[in-house]
Amino acid sequence: MTAPLTAYDEIAAHEHETWALAQVMGRLGWDQETTMPRGAAAQRGEEMAALEGVLHARRSDPKLGEWLEAAKAPDAKGAALLRHARRSYARTTKVPAALAAELARVTSVAQGVWAEARAKDDVAHFLPSLERVIALRREEASALATDGALYDALLDDYEPGTSSAEIGAMFDRMRPRLVALVDKVLGAETQPAALSGSFNAEGQMRLSRKLAEITGYDFSRGRLDLAVHPFSSGSGSDVRITTRVAEGDPFNCFYSTIHECGHACYEQGIAPEFAFSPLGEGASMGVHESQSRIYENQFGRSRAFSGYLFDQMRGEFGDLGISDADAFYGAVNRVNTGYIRTEADEVHYNLHIMMRFDLERALIAGDLEARDLEEAWNARFLKDFGVAVDRPSNGMLQDVHWSVGLFGYFPTYALGNVYAGCLMQALRGDLPDLDAQLAAGDWAAATGWLREKVQVHGGLMEPRETIAQACGFEPSEAPLLDYLEAKFGEIYRV
C-alpha cells in the first residue's frame, strides 16, 4: 500500500501541471510572433484569455492555499519551490480572475496593433490599445500593492526583492560616469569607421546559425526564426529564439542572435530536475539579462571574438571594405547616438533604459497619460541624447514591451548589464586564457563557467544571491562602469 501524498507532494504535482500549461501558453505567444496569420489576432486573444483563466484558477486554487499552510520542505530544493509557490499564490489571489483574463486578451491583440502602428508610424492607431493596457496594469498594480507603490508591485514580477527606489539610486550613481564617457568618446579625434555595404539575408542567417552553435545553443531543443522584435521563448527541452535581418546592418542580426542565445542557453542549462516547476526558469529577468548581455557584449563584442567574426564574415560575404581586424573591432563597437535601444552601443544603452524607466513609472503613477507619451518621449530623448526623434518607429513605437503590458521590465535590462559586469570580472579571474579561446571561436570554457555558476541553478536562489554566489562578492555597478571606461577609452584613445 502506497503512503498518502503529503501536502508538499500535492504542491509539487500541482505546480508540475501548472507549469506545463504555462509552456503551452508560451508556445502560443511564440507562434503569434513568428508564423500566425495576421487575421487570427482576435481569435488568438480569446485563446490566450481562456488559457490565462485556467492558469489563474490553478494558481489561486483554495486547495493550494491549504497545502501551502501545511507543507514542510524535504530539502533545499523543496524550500525554494515552496518559497516561489507561496509568493505566486499570495500575488495571484489578489488579482481577480476576470482582470487576469482580460489582460491576457487585450495584450495579445494590442501586440498586433502595435506592430501595425510601428510599420505605419501611426501613433494614433496604437493609442486606444495602449490606454487600455495601461488602465488594466494600473488596476492590477492597485490590487497587488500593499503600500500604494504601484510601480513596485509590477517590478516585483520581473525582479523580486528590489524596488524602484533602489533602481533609481543605482541609475543616479551610474548616470554621471556614463554621460562623461559619452562626451569623451563622441568628442574624440579617433572615430572608427562604420561597416557599410549590402549583406544578403541568406548569408546573415547562415552565419547567425553558426554563431548560435558557437554559444552552445542546442538546436536539437530549439530553433531560430525571424520576428519583428527578437526574443527567446520556452524552457527545458523546447527553447526557441528569433532574430531579424536588415541587409545594410548585419550586426543587428548577429548580435540579436547572440543576445537571444544568452537567454536560451540559460534556460537550456537549468538542471533538468527543476523542469515544470518555478525553479525551472531563470532567477529573475535581471539575472536572465546578465546572460544575454555577457554573451552579446563581453564575449561577442570583445576584441578577441570580433577578430574571429571578421574572418567569418569575409568568408561569407567577401570583402567588407574594412582593412583589418582592429578596424573591424572599432566598427563592432562604434559609438553613436542612434534612436533604437536594441541597436544601441554599450555606452549609450543604459541611458535608453533610464529614460524608459522614468516614463513608465510616470505612466503607472498617473503622472503621464498615454496621449502625452509621444511628446514626453521626444522631449526626454532630445534632452538625454541631443537628437530630435524623426519618426514614431524610432521613438515611442520602437519597443514591443508596453503593448504586451510589460511595465516594470525595462530596468531589468540595465540591472542585467550590472550583473554581467560583475560576472565578467569573476570569470576572467578563473579563466586567464579566455581571450585566446574567444579568438579561436571557442566559447566552451566561458559558457561552461556560466552554466556551472549561474544557469544550472535556475530559480533555486534569490536573484542577488545567485549573482553574489557566482562572483564571490556582492553585485554593484562598479565593475560594469570600470569595464566600459577601459574598453572604450582604449578604442577611442581617451
Side-chain angles (χ1 to χ4, degrees):
M1 183 176 179
T2 58
L5 294 178
T6 67
Y8 176 83
D9 294 333
E10 296 279 15
I11 292 166
H14 187 88
E15 288 292 295
H16 183 101
E17 189 169 331
T18 300
W19 283 87
L21 288 168
Q23 288 297 311
V24 174
M25 191 169 180
R27 211 82 68 243
L28 283 177
W30 170 87
D31 175 76
Q32 180 171 331
E33 285 293 286
T34 55
T35 61
M36 186 189 81
R38 288 196 317 171
Q43 178 175 319
R44 181 55 49 86
E46 295 302 319
E47 294 165 354
M48 297 290 267
L51 259 177
E52 179 57 38
V54 172
L55 286 168
H56 187 277
R58 291 187 62 83
R59 290 168 176 155
S60 59
D61 190 331
K63 289 187 299 184
L64 179 57
E66 293 172 7
W67 294 331
L68 286 168
E69 284 186 8
K72 295 181 180 179
D75 50 26
K77 172 189 170 185
L81 188 148
L82 290 179
R83 184 185 78 240
H84 283 281
R86 286 179 175 129
R87 176 180 172 274
S88 173
Y89 184 76
R91 288 178 67 81
T92 305
T93 52
K94 292 178 181 178
V95 179
L99 173 58
E102 181 68 359
L103 262 167
R105 185 188 68 79
V106 168
T107 54
S108 178
V109 174
Q111 189 171 1
V113 175
W114 162 80
E116 294 170 357
R118 183 177 183 271
K120 299 174 183 175
D121 277 310
D122 186 354
V123 171
H125 182 61
F126 179 50
L127 278 182
S129 295
L130 180 60
E131 288 170 347
R132 182 62 177 148
V133 171
I134 291 171
L136 289 170
R137 285 295 265 165
R138 284 175 179 166
E139 185 178 350
E140 182 188 32
S142 296
L144 289 168
T146 57
D147 56 1
L150 299 188
Y151 186 81
D152 282 7
L154 303 181
L155 175 62
D156 195 61
D157 263 340
Y158 311 109
E159 199 64 29
T162 193
S163 68
S164 57
E166 291 170 331
I167 296 290
M170 182 182 74
F171 286 170
D172 287 344
R173 295 191 300 270
M174 293 173 67
R175 189 187 304 276
R177 287 177 67 177
L178 289 173
V179 170
L181 183 58
V182 167
D183 291 344
K184 286 181 182 179
V185 165
L186 294 182
E189 292 184 12
T190 300
Q191 293 291 326
L195 185 70
S196 61
S198 181
F199 303 85
N200 66 80
E202 295 80 8
Q204 288 191 42
M205 291 304 291
R206 274 194 300 270
L207 187 47
S208 285
R209 188 175 179 90
K210 182 171 185 177
L211 291 171
E213 290 171 344
I214 286 171
T215 70
Y217 179 62
D218 182 358
F219 275 101
S220 74
R221 297 187 290 152
R223 53 183 291 141
L224 173 62
D225 294 276
L226 293 170
V228 174
H229 193 111
F231 67 97
S232 173
S233 174
S235 66
S237 296
D238 191 344
V239 186
R240 308 179 187 194
I241 58 173
T242 65
T243 191
R244 60 185 172 200
V245 170
E247 296 204 349
D249 183 12
F251 291 157
N252 192 323
C253 179
F254 300 149
Y255 286 103
S256 291
T257 301
I258 293 172
H259 179 99
E260 299 308 332
C261 282
H263 286 302
C265 288
Y266 188 179
E267 293 292 335
Q268 290 183 338
I270 295 171
E273 61 264 29
F274 294 165
F276 300 114
S277 85
L279 309 187
E281 63 175 9
S284 71
M285 288 315 305
V287 178
H288 234 300
E289 200 63 24
S290 76
Q291 303 304 283
S292 61
R293 296 297 284 178
I294 198 172
Y295 276 49
E296 176 188 355
N297 294 323
Q298 280 91 339
F299 299 165
R301 297 184 195 273
S302 66
R303 179 182 291 278
F305 187 71
S306 69
Y308 175 86
L309 181 59
F310 178 56
D311 290 338
Q312 294 300 309
M313 284 189 64
R314 287 193 298 176
E316 182 64 56
F317 302 110
D319 180 42
L320 303 178
I322 289 183
S323 59
D324 54 30
D326 188 63
F328 184 81
Y329 174 57
V332 165
N333 290 285
R334 188 167 176 267
V335 175
N336 63 85
T337 50
Y339 299 111
I340 306 298
R341 173 188 62 84
T342 56
E343 300 169 12
D345 55 78
E346 291 180 82
V347 178
H348 280 100
Y349 186 90
N350 293 299
L351 296 175
H352 284 268
I353 299 304
M354 292 172 190
M355 183 185 84
R356 286 158 175 76
F357 172 67
D358 289 340
L359 290 173
E360 71 176 16
R361 275 198 301 174
L363 285 167
I364 295 301
D367 298 330
L368 176 65
E369 296 299 333
R371 63 180 176 271
D372 301 316
L373 176 59
E374 183 179 19
E375 181 181 354
W377 178 295
N378 292 350
R380 176 65 182 268
F381 193 88
L382 181 61
K383 177 178 180 290
D384 285 7
F385 296 91
V387 177
V389 175
D390 59 348
R391 60 182 186 271
S393 57
N394 282 335
M396 65 163 279
L397 291 179
Q398 68 177 267
D399 291 305
V400 69
H401 300 61
W402 291 336
S403 73
V404 292
L406 296 180
F407 291 89
Y409 191 115
F410 274 123
T412 68
Y413 287 121
L415 190 56
N417 284 330
V418 167
Y419 288 163
C422 297
L423 290 168
M424 192 62 180
Q425 179 175 299
L427 188 153
R428 279 202 174 276
D430 288 348
L431 300 178
D433 58 344
L434 174 64
D435 287 337
Q437 295 173 31
L438 293 177
D442 181 2
W443 287 32
T447 56
W449 188 95
L450 289 170
R451 191 170 301 114
E452 175 191 349
K453 300 286 188 177
V454 177
Q455 295 169 4
V456 70
H457 302 298
L460 187 65
M461 294 174 281
E462 295 284 15
R464 286 184 65 88
E465 182 187 1
T466 300
I467 300 300
Q469 180 166 296
C471 297
F473 56 85
E474 286 296 318
S476 80
E477 68 277 3
L480 172 68
L481 296 172
D482 291 346
Y483 152 79
L484 291 174
E485 288 167 351
K487 175 178 180 176
F488 289 93
E490 188 250 334
I491 293 172
Y492 282 83
R493 300 175 188 172
V494 294

